[in-house]
Amino acid sequence: MKAIVYEKYGSPDVIQLKDVEKPAPKDNEVLIKIHAASVNAYDWHFLTADIFLIRLMGGGLLKPKYTRLGADVAGRVEAVGGNVKQFQPGDEVFGDIGHGGFAEYGCAPESRLALKPANLSFEEAAAVPMAALTALQGLRDEGQIHPGQKVLINGASGGVGTFAVQIAKSFGAEVTAVCSPRNLDQARSIGADHIIDYTKENFTQNGQQYDLILAANGYHSLSAYKRALTPKGIYVMAGGSTAQIFQAMLLASWMSETGGKKMGGVSAKIDQKDLGLIKELLEAGKVVPVIDRRYPLSETAEALRYLGEGHARGKIVITLEDINKT
Ligand SMILES: NC(=O)c1ccc[n+]([C@@H]2O[C@H](COP(=O)([O-])OP(=O)(O)OC[C@H]3O[C@@H](n4cnc5c(N)ncnc54)[C@H](OP(=O)(O)O)[C@@H]3O)[C@@H](O)[C@H]2O)c1
């Protein structure tokens, strides 16, 4: 089968489309014929090792331990291992398989998958898992979101941000989206109540305060975020540069106050229950995936380059339509 392979850390130039052996599912695994995948900053970090922690936390110190990229997928179950209980051949599924999603076939434990929302295409479903789980768990678990709260999403126009705006609205929050001028209409169309153009206004300096701030990336200092929180407000960081991540790891709990403001971050977990909850939101039309661009598997390097520029409008999808036809 065809798959995207890389053998050294580097720019998207180091990836190659190769013929590799089709995987076989282990007892607890499902073999999926992949119809679409989506690109995440996660893939970028594993490709480039731009965040040094990737090397320390199992990515491989000098060269990649996993030579395959692609976490988010949607496709059809082709075969199942002996202990798989929830899926059978022919089921349409979506989920986060960790590595190896930029390929014709991929294997994953059944716990990383859910049935594809009936109203979504494979491309739309592939855009969902990692970004939506990060937004949901950041807002609900770390951010303790409640109806009526004032919630600000910084980086509201990318993968995590477009889901965060819609999921915060589904919890009944009053949502402020922060994005660049070209994305103001998009933010409005996904339901933001208020929109701030970050090229014109710095929300950490305008005197407004929020019960919950979710930042897709750092963008501002921790003390600036803290200033923009209500007295019991919560700041949740999803990602950022190595320096921002170290700062958050070292300073966030120290800057948090007992019974007062809380500073922290989210580390998304692949949780089948949460995937099911997101499926319900999608089927109810409360959350709609925003897809910026689509690339065929053979142009995955282009897709990664575009993601690396840091200004995707929603999600970038890899399609396997052409390959599946042959
Ligand atoms: N913790 C976890 O478990 C987890 C899971 C998934 C992702 N992440 C992290 O979350 C981060 C975001 O991921 P993503 O998929 O949303 O990335 P993305 O799709 O590349 O989105 C980044 C967005 O940031 C916006 N942006 C750029 N500069 C900005 C600024 N100065 N102020 C406000 N917004 C700005 C861009 O919008 P404009 O074009 O409008 O500027 C862009 O849409 C990444 O660092 C990723 O590693 C973490």
Coordinates of all heavy atoms in Angstrom, one line a residue, residues 218-266:
G218 N 0.5 30.0 22.8 CA 0.8 31.0 23.9 C 0.4 32.4 23.5 O -0.4 33.1 24.2
Y219 N 1.0 32.9 22.5 CA 0.8 34.3 21.9 C 1.1 35.4 22.9 O 1.6 36.5 22.5 CB -0.6 34.5 21.4 CG -1.1 33.5 20.4 CD1 -2.3 32.7 20.6 CD2 -0.4 33.2 19.2 CE1 -2.7 31.8 19.7 CE2 -0.8 32.3 18.3 CZ -2.0 31.6 18.5 OH -2.4 30.6 17.6
H220 N 0.7 35.3 24.2 CA 1.0 36.4 25.2 C 1.7 35.7 26.4 O 1.7 34.5 26.5 CB -0.3 37.0 25.7 CG -1.1 37.8 24.6 ND1 -0.8 39.1 24.2 CD2 -2.2 37.4 23.9 CE1 -1.6 39.5 23.3 NE2 -2.5 38.5 23.1
S221 N 2.2 36.6 27.3 CA 2.8 36.1 28.5 C 1.8 35.6 29.5 O 0.6 36.0 29.4 CB 3.7 37.2 29.2 OG 2.8 38.1 29.7
L222 N 2.2 34.7 30.4 CA 1.2 34.2 31.4 C 0.7 35.3 32.2 O -0.5 35.3 32.6 CB 1.9 33.1 32.3 CG 2.3 31.8 31.7 CD1 3.1 30.9 32.6 CD2 1.0 31.0 31.2
S223 N 1.5 36.3 32.5 CA 1.0 37.4 33.4 C -0.1 38.2 32.6 O -1.0 38.7 33.2 CB 2.1 38.2 34.0 OG 2.9 38.7 32.9
A224 N 0.1 38.4 31.3 CA -0.9 39.1 30.5 C -2.2 38.3 30.6 O -3.3 38.9 30.7 CB -0.4 39.3 29.1
Y225 N -2.2 37.0 30.4 CA -3.4 36.2 30.4 C -4.0 36.3 31.8 O -5.3 36.5 31.9 CB -3.1 34.7 30.1 CG -3.0 34.4 28.6 CD1 -1.8 34.0 28.1 CD2 -4.0 34.6 27.8 CE1 -1.6 33.7 26.8 CE2 -3.9 34.3 26.4 CZ -2.7 33.9 25.9 OH -2.6 33.6 24.6
K226 N -3.2 36.3 32.8 CA -3.8 36.3 34.2 C -4.5 37.6 34.5 O -5.6 37.6 35.1 CB -2.6 36.1 35.2 CG -3.1 35.9 36.6 CD -2.0 35.5 37.6 CE -2.6 35.4 39.0 NZ -1.5 35.2 40.0
R227 N -4.0 38.7 33.9 CA -4.6 40.0 34.1 C -6.0 40.0 33.4 O -6.9 40.7 33.9 CB -3.7 41.1 33.4 CG -4.1 42.5 33.6 CD -3.0 43.4 33.2 NE -2.6 43.2 31.7 CZ -1.4 43.1 31.3 NH1 -0.4 43.0 32.1 NH2 -1.2 42.9 30.0
A228 N -6.2 39.3 32.4 CA -7.5 39.3 31.6 C -8.5 38.3 32.2 O -9.5 38.1 31.6 CB -7.2 38.9 30.2
L229 N -8.2 37.7 33.4 CA -9.1 36.7 34.0 C -9.9 37.4 35.1 O -9.4 38.3 35.8 CB -8.3 35.6 34.6 CG -7.7 34.5 33.7 CD1 -6.9 33.5 34.6 CD2 -8.7 33.8 32.8
T230 N -11.2 37.0 35.3 CA -12.0 37.4 36.4 C -11.3 36.8 37.7 O -10.5 35.9 37.6 CB -13.4 36.9 36.3 OG1 -13.4 35.5 36.0 CG2 -14.1 37.5 35.1
P231 N -11.7 37.3 38.9 CA -11.0 36.8 40.1 C -11.0 35.3 40.3 O -10.0 34.8 40.9 CB -11.9 37.5 41.2 CG -12.4 38.7 40.6 CD -12.7 38.4 39.2
K232 N -11.9 34.6 39.7 CA -11.8 33.1 39.8 C -11.7 32.5 38.4 O -12.0 31.3 38.2 CB -13.1 32.5 40.5 CG -13.2 32.9 42.0 CD -14.2 32.1 42.7 CE -14.0 32.5 44.2 NZ -14.6 31.5 45.1
G233 N -11.2 33.2 37.5 CA -11.1 32.8 36.1 C -10.0 31.7 35.9 O -9.1 31.6 36.7
I234 N -10.1 31.0 34.8 CA -9.1 29.9 34.5 C -8.5 30.1 33.1 O -9.2 30.4 32.2 CB -9.9 28.6 34.5 CG1 -10.5 28.3 35.9 CG2 -8.9 27.4 34.2 CD1 -11.3 27.0 36.1
Y235 N -7.2 30.0 33.0 CA -6.5 30.1 31.8 C -6.0 28.7 31.4 O -5.4 27.9 32.2 CB -5.3 31.0 31.9 CG -4.3 30.9 30.7 CD1 -4.7 31.3 29.5 CD2 -3.0 30.3 30.9 CE1 -3.9 31.1 28.4 CE2 -2.2 30.2 29.8 CZ -2.6 30.6 28.5 OH -1.8 30.4 27.5
V236 N -6.3 28.3 30.1 CA -5.9 26.9 29.6 C -5.1 27.1 28.3 O -5.6 27.7 27.4 CB -7.2 26.1 29.3 CG1 -6.7 24.7 28.8 CG2 -8.0 25.9 30.6
M237 N -3.9 26.6 28.4 CA -3.1 26.7 27.2 C -3.1 25.4 26.4 O -2.9 24.3 27.1 CB -1.6 27.1 27.6 CG -0.6 27.1 26.5 SD 0.9 27.8 27.2 CE 2.1 26.9 26.2
A238 N -3.3 25.4 25.1 CA -3.3 24.1 24.4 C -1.9 23.9 23.8 O -1.4 22.7 23.8 CB -4.3 24.2 23.2
G239 N -1.2 24.9 23.3 CA 0.1 24.6 22.7 C 0.9 25.9 22.7 O 0.5 26.9 23.2
G240 N 2.1 25.8 22.1 CA 3.0 27.0 22.0 C 4.4 26.6 21.7 O 4.7 25.4 21.5
S241 N 5.3 27.5 21.7 CA 6.7 27.2 21.5 C 7.3 26.4 22.7 O 6.7 26.4 23.7 CB 7.5 28.5 21.3 OG 7.4 29.2 22.5
T242 N 8.5 25.9 22.5 CA 9.2 25.2 23.6 C 9.3 26.1 24.8 O 9.0 25.7 25.9 CB 10.6 24.7 23.1 OG1 10.4 23.8 22.0 CG2 11.3 23.9 24.2
A243 N 9.7 27.3 24.6 CA 9.8 28.3 25.7 C 8.5 28.5 26.4 O 8.5 28.5 27.6 CB 10.4 29.6 25.1
Q244 N 7.4 28.7 25.6 CA 6.1 28.9 26.3 C 5.7 27.7 27.0 O 5.1 27.8 28.1 CB 5.1 29.2 25.2 CG 5.3 30.6 24.6 CD 4.4 30.9 23.4 OE1 4.0 30.0 22.7 NE2 4.1 32.1 23.1
I245 N 6.0 26.5 26.5 CA 5.5 25.3 27.2 C 6.3 25.1 28.5 O 5.8 24.8 29.5 CB 5.7 24.0 26.3 CG1 4.7 24.1 25.1 CG2 5.6 22.7 27.0 CD1 4.8 23.1 24.0
F246 N 7.7 25.4 28.4 CA 8.5 25.3 29.7 C 8.0 26.3 30.7 O 7.9 26.0 31.9 CB 10.0 25.5 29.4 CG 10.6 24.1 29.1 CD1 11.2 23.9 27.8 CD2 10.7 23.2 30.0 CE1 11.8 22.7 27.5 CE2 11.3 21.9 29.8 CZ 11.8 21.7 28.5
Q247 N 7.7 27.5 30.2 CA 7.2 28.6 31.1 C 6.0 28.1 31.8 O 5.8 28.3 33.0 CB 6.9 29.8 30.3 CG 7.9 31.0 30.5 CD 7.5 32.1 29.6 OE1 6.4 32.3 29.2 NE2 8.6 32.8 29.1
A248 N 5.0 27.6 31.0 CA 3.8 27.1 31.6 C 4.0 26.0 32.6 O 3.4 26.0 33.7 CB 2.8 26.7 30.5
M249 N 4.9 25.1 32.2 CA 5.2 23.9 33.1 C 5.8 24.4 34.5 O 5.4 23.9 35.5 CB 6.1 22.9 32.5 CG 5.4 22.1 31.4 SD 6.6 21.2 30.3 CE 7.3 20.0 31.4
L250 N 6.7 25.4 34.4 CA 7.4 25.8 35.6 C 6.6 26.9 36.4 O 6.6 26.9 37.6 CB 8.7 26.5 35.2 CG 9.7 25.5 34.5 CD1 10.9 26.3 34.0 CD2 10.2 24.5 35.6
L251 N 5.8 27.7 35.7 CA 5.2 28.9 36.4 C 3.7 28.8 36.6 O 3.2 29.5 37.5 CB 5.5 30.2 35.6 CG 7.0 30.5 35.5 CD1 7.2 31.8 34.6 CD2 7.7 30.7 36.8
A252 N 3.0 28.0 35.8 CA 1.6 28.1 35.9 C 1.0 27.8 37.2 O 0.2 28.5 37.8 CB 0.9 27.2 34.8
S253 N 1.4 26.7 37.8 CA 0.8 26.3 39.1 C 1.3 27.3 40.2 O 0.5 27.6 41.1 CB 1.1 24.9 39.5 OG 2.5 24.7 39.7
W254 N 2.5 27.8 40.1 CA 3.0 28.8 41.0 C 2.2 30.1 40.9 O 2.0 30.8 41.9 CB 4.5 29.0 40.7 CG 5.2 30.1 41.6 CD1 5.5 29.9 42.9 CD2 5.5 31.4 41.2 NE1 6.1 31.1 43.4 CE2 6.1 32.0 42.3 CE3 5.4 32.1 40.0 CZ2 6.6 33.3 42.3 CZ3 5.9 33.4 40.0 CH2 6.5 34.0 41.1
M255 N 1.8 30.5 39.7 CA 1.0 31.7 39.5 C -0.5 31.5 39.9 O -1.2 32.5 40.0 CB 1.1 32.2 38.1 CG 2.5 32.8 37.7 SD 2.6 33.1 36.0 CE 1.5 34.5 35.8
S256 N -0.9 30.3 40.0 CA -2.3 30.0 40.4 C -2.6 30.4 41.8 O -1.6 30.3 42.6 CB -2.7 28.6 40.2 OG -2.6 28.2 38.8
E257 N -3.8 30.8 42.1 CA -4.1 31.3 43.5 C -5.1 30.3 44.2 O -6.0 29.9 43.5 CB -4.7 32.7 43.4 CG -3.9 33.7 42.8 CD -4.7 34.9 42.3 OE1 -5.9 34.9 42.5 OE2 -4.1 35.8 41.8
T258 N -4.9 30.0 45.4 CA -5.8 29.1 46.1 C -7.2 29.9 46.2 O -7.2 31.0 46.6 CB -5.3 28.9 47.6 OG1 -4.0 28.5 47.5 CG2 -6.1 27.8 48.3
G259 N -8.2 29.2 45.6 CA -9.5 29.8 45.6 C -9.7 31.0 44.6 O -10.7 31.6 44.6
G260 N -8.6 31.2 43.8 CA -8.7 32.3 42.9 C -8.4 31.9 41.5 O -8.8 30.9 41.0
K261 N -7.6 32.8 40.8 CA -7.3 32.5 39.4 C -6.5 31.2 39.2 O -5.6 31.0 40.1 CB -6.5 33.7 38.8 CG -7.3 35.0 38.9 CD -6.5 36.1 38.2 CE -7.3 37.5 38.4 NZ -6.8 38.5 37.6
K262 N -6.8 30.5 38.1 CA -6.0 29.2 37.9 C -5.3 29.3 36.5 O -6.0 29.7 35.5 CB -6.9 28.0 37.9 CG -7.6 27.7 39.2 CD -7.2 26.3 39.7 CE -7.6 26.0 41.1 NZ -7.8 27.1 42.0
M263 N -4.1 29.0 36.5 CA -3.3 29.0 35.2 C -2.9 27.5 34.9 O -2.4 26.8 35.8 CB -2.0 29.8 35.4 CG -2.2 31.2 36.0 SD -3.2 32.3 34.9 CE -2.1 32.5 33.5
G264 N -3.2 27.0 33.7 CA -2.8 25.7 33.4 C -2.9 25.4 31.9 O -2.9 26.3 31.1
G265 N -2.9 24.1 31.6 CA -2.9 23.7 30.2 C -3.7 22.4 30.0 O -4.1 21.8 31.0
V266 N -3.9 22.0 28.8 CA -4.6 20.8 28.5 C -3.7 19.9 27.7 O -2.9 20.3 26.9 CB -5.9 21.1 27.6 CG1 -5.6 21.8 26.3 CG2 -6.6 19.8 27.3

